[in-house]
Amino acid sequence: MISVLFVCLGNICRSPMAEAVLRHQLKERELEEKVSVDSAGTGDWHLGKPPHEGTRSLLDRYGISYEGMRARQVLINDYKAFDYIICMDSANERDVRKVFGSCSEQQTKVFKFMDLLPDKPGNDVPDPYYTGNFDEVYELVSEGCGKLLERIRREHQI
Ligand code: 4NP
């Protein structure tokens, strides 16, 4: 099984959105048995909570399921457990590398979500917890997940 972990700060807005969108795209292509998807936060404020209301209402609007999803924090063991560890912004990447320690320094499996969209300006997926703009995040997330899926298919011949 190929595995993907999305990481943001609170694990209630951006990374759960990416988790739900990628899983939805995988289902549409009947690839959900081949790729597993999870998300986590570098912070611990929202442990056990469902996605933020803004993320939920957006996903509802697009008919994308977020059933059973609950916030959790990044764990040291995630480094070994996942093939792709994708951080929503630069601070998340820095913090995740701290959790994983020196073993993650040279590894390409930790990268930023915006690296999937090299033609887009900006390094970070804006945080709708502060901006309130969940739609702009959805635009980036849906396009980026499409690119990720292409990359996974290419790299694993699925
Ligand atoms: P997220 O957004 O990292 O996209 O889930 C945030 C959620 C909660 C907080 C910050 C960002 N917070 O400070 O509680």
Side-chain angles (χ1 to χ4, degrees):
M1 189 83 150
I2 303 152
S3 54
V4 176
L5 179 69
F6 292 109
V7 177
C8 64
L9 179 58
N11 193 212
I12 52 170
C13 298
R14 292 167 294 173
S15 62
M17 193 190 295
E19 176 185 344
V21 166
L22 181 61
R23 194 174 290 122
H24 186 79
Q25 293 182 356
L26 287 163
K27 277 210 180 103
E28 284 178 339
R29 291 162 183 78
E30 298 184 351
L31 288 170
E32 72 266 32
E33 305 290 314
K34 304 235 159 140
V35 184
S36 70
V37 195
D38 195 3
S39 66
T42 57
D44 64 359
W45 312 283
H46 302 285
L47 299 184
K49 288 203 198 139
H52 188 283
E53 192 190 339
T55 288
R56 283 188 275 131
S57 64
L58 182 137
L59 293 172
D60 283 339
R61 200 160 13 111
Y62 287 97
I64 297 174
S65 171
Y66 47 86
E67 199 188 334
M69 285 172 49
R70 292 285 181 273
R72 73 165 179 91
Q73 202 168 14
V74 176
L75 306 166
I76 295 173
N77 286 349
D78 288 332
Y79 184 69
K80 280 206 185 117
F82 290 90
D83 302 308
Y84 298 86
I85 299 172
I86 306 173
C87 308
M88 302 314 265
D89 66 35
S90 308
N92 306 150
E93 184 186 17
R94 181 198 61 209
D95 293 341
V96 119
R97 286 189 190 277
K98 262 189 228 157
V99 172
F100 295 152
S102 55
C103 60
S104 72
E105 290 301 323
Q106 303 302 324
Q107 291 290 337
T108 54
K109 71 173 163 181
V110 178
F111 60 91
K112 275 187 299 201
F113 190 87
M114 290 305 283
D115 295 345
L116 295 162
L117 300 170
D119 52 326
K120 288 274 192 310
N123 289 321
D124 298 337
V125 177
D127 194 337
Y129 190 75
Y130 303 112
T131 67
N133 192 341
F134 287 83
D135 289 293
E136 76 171 338
V137 175
Y138 179 75
E139 293 303 317
L140 295 171
V141 159
S142 58
E143 191 183 345
C145 285
K147 299 275 186 210
L148 176 63
L149 198 43
E150 282 172 23
R151 176 171 160 179
I152 291 173
R153 296 189 83 158
R154 198 169 58 238
E155 289 181 353
H156 298 270
Q157 279 101 46
I158 58 165

